[in-house]
Amino acid sequence: QSALTQPASVSGSPGQSITISCTGTSNDVGGYNYVSWYRQHPGKAPKLMIYDVSNRPSGVSNRFSGSKSGNTASLTISGLQAEDEADYYCSSYTGSSPPYVFGTGTEVTVL
Amino acid sequence: QVQLVQSGAEAKTPGASVKVSCKASGYTFTSYNMHWVRQAPGQGLEWVGIINPSSGFTIYAQTFQGRLTMTRDTSTSTLYMELSSLRSEDTAMYYCVREEGFISAPTKIFQHWGQGTLLTVSS
């Protein structure tokens, strides 16, 4: 099972919106609505930002939204803020071995 | 609140073994599946395995077959991950992660993460 494909980096100015893509296959992203997104600041553990494609955990800002079309999931961050500068990873359930696969990671820079 | 506190950093030589712990608190330990996820320096996340703390049932990523053992101690609410025949490629931060949803209805949501344990394998 290969890692899901994400762009290496995405940047935007404060207040702008950015979108990070996460491309898999019909065996993972396309086959299940179990896509999650994590934010990771340097030296910290990942933090869950989106689960089940488009749901936000309690306490996560509504500036974060998720969607999916076919084998590609997307995370959109609107009203970009300095605190959003971090690495972002997607993940998907696969139903096979291994049961979970993560994305290659995207570094978000706030200009 | 849910807390997952992992053991400290480890430095091992190739061929050695390591046992990392993860002490859980703030919830019923045997009610939630637990996972281990690792991250090599500057790299992405990699799923390592899952353990049902109630039954002890485990599933490991094929990458680790034969080298990985995940166990738990229900009396102390502690998970253990033992990796043997260590290689330099095992150098990584290892995280324990609690899956949301009771074991009877797993959600595949990784909400609660430990602080991580850095394993360095070098001669």
Side-chain angles (χ1 to χ4, degrees), chain B residues 2-28:
Chain B
V2 175
Q3 285 196 54
L4 301 171
V5 179
Q6 300 184 223
S7 50
E10 299 270 8
K12 298 291 182 181
T13 54
S17 297
V18 69
K19 193 170 187 177
V20 176
S21 67
C22 168
K23 184 170 177 59
S25 62
Y27 69 97
T28 301

Side-chain angles (χ1 to χ4, degrees), chain A residues 34 36 38 40 43-48 51-52 57-58 89 91 93 97-105, chain B residues 35 37 39 42-47 50 59-62 95 99 106-111 113-116:
Chain A
Y34 294 123
S36 296
Y38 302 88
Q40 186 179 36
K44 300 294 186 180
K47 176 185 176 181
L48 179 69
Y51 66 93
D52 293 353
S58 174
Y89 294 92
S91 75
Y93 178 69
S97 181
Y100 298 92
V101 62
F102 288 91
T104 51
Chain B
H35 301 254
V37 174
Q39 184 173 35
Q43 303 299 309
L45 302 166
E46 179 183 19
W47 184 82
I50 179 176
I59 300 175
Y60 305 141
Q62 286 189 331
Y95 295 100
E99 180 177 342
T107 63
K108 305 164 180 58
I109 299 171
F110 297 172
Q111 177 138 24
W113 294 64
Q115 86 276 19

